[in-house]
């Protein structure tokens, strides 16, 4: 009895957070900074001490460390809500097992990691069997976003969302039309939306790297010039977090004592890491028969970047055959001013293709699962806090508000007009890059996506004829209804006689 009374007296925190790596620590401080008392827990106790000390230093924030699962859970007001921010997979299950032992029906678990959506749906079912509510919540914005305002994508139990809505709306990034959080939908929808967000992010980053490659190796621009160009682009239609940080990157000097100082970007190994969400996005696009060539090209580029030694060996082999990689000087006859403007247009048009592919994937999954995703609202919550935040997301939001059943972002009247206006520069950039042996897989894939989508007739009629020839798969005709099969080899022989 006395123990129960003591626990009740200590139940001061409005919410709890378990998992105090960089993201968890920053999100916990954000919650406390907004005036919500929060309990924190981590298996490594030094992380608890570190977080508590940060809360003290950053203004005596109402953050309280708890050193075992029982005390942590009992220190939270009922109905309890606990955010978990640990590595996806088995660690999440282990953390849930440790905490749920002390939780009661009506309490909520919120997984804020980059989790595979089907794992979330399994956990929703398991939690429900114990009377617990569950949310799978995508969190975007990196450590800075977690501390100062992320984009939040919670999906699962609607009641669980309502229990913490006031906290999430204060903690999320704030834009002119509201906080960057909304209830996404049932099941694993929040995790799925975050996964696709990351797939779009892959495409975005690849396209920016290609713009850099062309400007540097075709136009011969210095890092200082690139910094100025990207800073200028960030004041117009390309204004976005990724363009902004890219301008910063080109300005950072190498601080290592190598005796050969310059910009740090030139000293970084050309080998890209990844955590799996881009791969999941491409796999889901294939499962749903949704074309996502820009996102797929960005994933392939990361794979290719990992073959550093192979690429170095290949460069030597092709050099012996007379094909040398020489970007030591700008390509002669290139009009720099025109190239810069063409690359801007190519980057913009390609980015729209990447977002269009992501939105189509979200819509297809929403139909399959009955999630009822609001694509305009998703564009809105991505306007702040997250990695892909960009000024044109407001226009994407408005496009889906104008027409919720929009077949593809490219055919919204405003975006269609812009794509047509930019196709000339876009083609020139891709053509110039190909002519000079510079790979632009993202821009090429985007242009091919645009050119394929805008054509009323494709050469797929020949593919259908081939399939019917070797496999009797039948085909449809343009002039009459029904399925048809032709004895192609017999008729071909007759035609040769």
């Amino acid at each position: 009895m006395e123990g129960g009374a003591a626990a009740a007296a200590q139940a001061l925190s409005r919410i709890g957070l378990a998992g105090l790596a960089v993201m968890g620590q920053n999100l916990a401080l954000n919650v406390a900074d907004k005036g919500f008392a929060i309990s924190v827990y981590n298996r490594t106790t030094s992380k608890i001490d570190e977080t508590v000390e940060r809360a003290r230093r950053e203004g005596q924030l109402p953050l309280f460390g708890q050193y075992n699962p029982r005390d942590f859970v009992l220190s939270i007001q009922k109905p309890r809500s606990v955010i978990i921010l640990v590595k996806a997979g088995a660690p999440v299950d282990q953390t849930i097992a440790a905490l749920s032992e002390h939780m009661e029906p009506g309490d909520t678990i919120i997984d804020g990691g980059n989790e595979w959506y089907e794992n979330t749906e399994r956990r929703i079912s398991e939690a429900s069997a114990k009377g617990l509510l569950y949310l799978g919540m995508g969190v975007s914005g990196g450590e800075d976003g977690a501390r100062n305002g992320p984009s939040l994508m919670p999906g699962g139990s609607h009641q669980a969302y309502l229990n913490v809505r006031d906290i999430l709306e204060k903690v999320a990034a704030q834009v002119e039309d509201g906080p960057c959080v909304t209830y996404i939908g049932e099941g694993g929808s929040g995790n799925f939306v975050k996964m696709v967000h990351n797939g779009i992010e892959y495409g975005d980053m690849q396209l920016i790297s290609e713009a850099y490659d062309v400007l540097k190796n075709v136009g011969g621009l210095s890092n200082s010039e690139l910094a100025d160009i990207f800073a200028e682009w960030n004041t117009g239609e390309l204004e976005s977090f990724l363009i902004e940080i890219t301008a910063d990157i080109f300005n950072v000097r190498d601080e290592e004592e190598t005796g050969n100082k310059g910009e740090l970007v030139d000293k970084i190994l050309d080998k890209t890491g990844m955590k799996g969400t881009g791969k999941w996005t491409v796999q889901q696009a294939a499962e749903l028969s949704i074309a996502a060539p820009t996102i797929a090209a960005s994933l392939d580029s990361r794979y290719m970047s990992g073959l550093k030694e192979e690429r170095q060996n290949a460069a030597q082999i092709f050099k012996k055959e007379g094909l040398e990689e020489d970007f030591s000087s700008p390509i002669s006859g290139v009009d720099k001013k025109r190239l810069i403007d063409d690359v801007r247009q190519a980057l913009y048009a390609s980015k729209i293709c990447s977002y269009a592919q992501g939105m189509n994937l979200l819509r297809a999954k929403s139909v399959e699962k009955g999630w009822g995703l609001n694509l305009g609202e998703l564009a809105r919550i991505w306007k702040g806090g997250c990695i892909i935040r960009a000024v044109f997301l407001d226009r994407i939001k408005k496009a889906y508000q104008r027409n919720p059943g929009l077949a593809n972002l490219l055919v919204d009247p405003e975006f269609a007009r812009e794509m047509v206006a930019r196709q000339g520069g876009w083609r020139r950039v891709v053509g110039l890059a190909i002519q000079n042996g510079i790979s632009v897989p993202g821009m090429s894939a985007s242009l091919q996506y645009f050119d394929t989508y805008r054509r009323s007739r494709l050469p797929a009629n020949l593919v259908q004829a081939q399939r019917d020839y070797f496999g009797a798969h039948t085909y449809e005709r343009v002039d009459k209804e029904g399925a048809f099969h032709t004895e192609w080899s017999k008729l071909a022989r007759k035609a040769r006689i």
Side-chain angles (χ1 to χ4, degrees):
M1 181 80 125
E2 286 179 12
Q10 291 169 7
L12 302 174
S13 293
R14 175 67 200 284
I15 193 167
L17 188 146
L20 296 173
V22 173
M23 286 292 286
Q25 193 172 114
N26 280 299
L27 189 61
L29 290 163
N30 185 352
V31 171
D33 207 12
K34 299 303 185 296
F36 299 101
I38 182 168
S39 293
V40 297
Y41 168 71
N42 196 81
R43 283 202 309 172
T44 309
T45 58
S46 60
K47 286 287 183 186
I48 303 172
D49 295 335
E50 183 185 311
T51 309
V52 170
E53 175 56 23
R54 274 191 67 188
R56 187 193 63 76
R57 285 200 320 269
E58 295 183 22
Q60 300 290 349
L61 302 177
L63 182 147
F64 308 100
Q66 302 293 339
Y67 291 85
N68 64 66
R70 181 180 181 278
D71 289 351
F72 170 65
V73 170
L74 296 181
S75 71
I76 302 164
Q77 294 172 19
K78 297 180 184 180
R80 304 179 183 96
S81 295
V82 175
I83 300 171
I84 295 172
L85 266 167
V86 298
K87 191 176 178 183
V92 176
D93 290 310
Q94 290 159 9
T95 306
I96 290 171
L99 299 179
S100 62
E101 195 178 321
H102 310 288
M103 297 177 81
E104 300 173 16
D107 291 349
T108 295
I109 295 167
I110 304 167
D111 176 18
N114 276 335
E115 186 57 271
W116 175 237
Y117 83 99
E118 288 181 340
N119 284 344
T120 294
E121 298 197 329
R122 167 179 61 79
R123 290 175 186 135
I124 287 172
S125 176
E126 291 168 356
S128 180
K130 298 178 182 178
L132 300 176
L133 309 181
Y134 200 95
L135 284 176
M137 183 172 72
V139 180
S140 179
E143 59 183 285
D144 182 67
R147 179 65 183 86
N148 299 305
S151 175
L152 300 171
M153 296 155 249
S157 163
H158 190 243
Q159 183 57 52
Y161 173 70
L162 294 178
N163 290 347
V164 291
R165 180 178 180 175
D166 60 330
I167 300 175
L168 299 183
E169 288 185 346
K170 285 276 173 54
V171 163
Q174 307 293 314
V175 292
E176 76 283 351
D177 50 4
C180 292
V181 61
T182 192
Y183 174 67
I184 301 295
E186 295 181 354
S189 59
N191 293 116
F192 193 90
V193 167
K194 175 57 164 55
M195 177 198 79
V196 174
H197 161 286
N198 286 21
I200 294 170
E201 180 185 309
Y202 271 52
D204 229 345
M205 294 170 75
Q206 175 64 28
L207 293 168
I208 291 169
S209 75
E210 291 174 18
Y212 154 63
D213 200 10
V214 172
L215 291 173
K216 180 184 178 183
N217 292 314
V218 175
L221 274 70
S222 68
N223 288 330
S224 175
E225 289 173 307
L226 288 166
D228 292 342
I229 288 162
F230 275 84
E232 184 185 336
W233 285 354
N234 199 47
T235 64
E237 65 187 12
L238 285 171
E239 182 187 337
S240 64
F241 173 69
L242 285 170
I243 295 290
E244 177 189 339
I245 68 169
T246 301
D248 284 348
I249 286 166
F250 290 125
N251 276 323
V252 174
R253 304 284 293 175
D254 181 18
E255 295 300 320
E256 292 291 319
E257 295 296 331
T258 59
N260 182 26
K261 293 210 174 187
E263 284 78 29
L264 179 58
V265 68
D266 294 329
K267 308 290 169 53
I268 297 175
L269 185 67
D270 54 321
K271 197 171 175 179
T272 310
M274 67 192 91
K275 290 188 176 176
T277 44
K279 179 181 175 182
W280 292 345
T281 304
V282 173
Q283 287 173 330
Q284 280 295 294
E287 288 284 336
L288 292 161
S289 302
I290 297 295
T294 310
I295 299 171
S298 70
L299 183 64
D300 287 339
S301 294
R302 293 198 183 194
Y303 293 149
M304 292 289 281
S305 79
L307 305 175
K308 177 64 175 176
E309 287 185 18
E310 282 187 47
R311 289 188 287 110
Q312 286 175 317
N313 292 335
Q316 291 304 312
I317 290 167
F318 288 113
K319 184 177 179 179
K320 286 177 187 172
E321 299 300 326
L323 186 59
E324 189 166 355
E325 176 187 27
D326 181 17
F327 300 128
S328 56
S329 57
I331 308 300
S332 61
V334 171
D335 181 336
K336 271 194 190 184
K337 190 174 179 184
R338 181 178 178 181
L339 178 67
I340 292 165
D341 195 55
D342 281 353
V343 171
R344 176 186 59 79
Q345 295 185 65
L347 180 55
Y348 181 83
S350 297
K351 279 161 70 80
I352 295 302
C353 288
S354 185
Y355 282 75
Q357 292 160 30
M359 289 300 191
N360 287 353
L361 177 52
L362 288 171
R363 184 181 58 221
K365 194 66 176 182
S366 180
V367 169
E368 181 194 77
K369 301 288 286 186
W371 285 337
L373 297 182
N374 181 332
L375 299 184
E377 181 68 353
L378 297 183
R380 185 194 71 76
I381 67 168
W382 289 344
K383 283 167 58 179
C386 70
I387 304 301
I388 65 169
R389 61 184 183 265
V391 71
F392 62 58
L393 275 162
D394 190 58
R395 297 180 46 238
I396 293 176
K397 178 195 80 170
K398 287 173 181 170
Y400 285 110
Q401 284 178 336
R402 281 193 295 273
N403 180 5
L406 187 64
N408 190 303
L409 201 54
L410 302 185
V411 295
D412 171 76
E414 279 194 24
F415 284 116
R417 195 175 307 119
E418 291 186 337
M419 299 298 280
V420 171
R422 284 157 182 76
Q423 63 156 343
W426 195 5
R427 294 181 196 285
R428 282 192 294 274
V429 169
V430 171
L432 194 60
I434 290 170
Q435 269 182 331
N436 290 285
I438 292 173
S439 57
V440 283
M443 287 186 181
S444 299
S446 294
L447 183 56
Q448 296 309 316
Y449 179 76
F450 171 69
D451 278 340
T452 302
Y453 189 67
R454 71 183 179 82
R455 288 184 63 188
S456 61
R457 185 164 173 82
L458 293 169
N461 53 319
L462 180 58
V463 175
Q464 285 299 82
Q466 291 169 334
R467 293 179 74 245
D468 190 51
Y469 191 123
F470 66 68
H473 293 295
T474 75
Y475 57 87
E476 294 175 278
R477 295 178 59 101
V478 296
D479 54 355
K480 57 179 80 170
E481 295 288 324
F484 298 86
H485 170 61
T486 296
E487 295 292 335
W488 294 93
S489 56
K490 190 186 296 181
L491 292 176
R493 279 197 301 273
K494 188 187 291 186
R496 286 196 296 269
I497 295 171

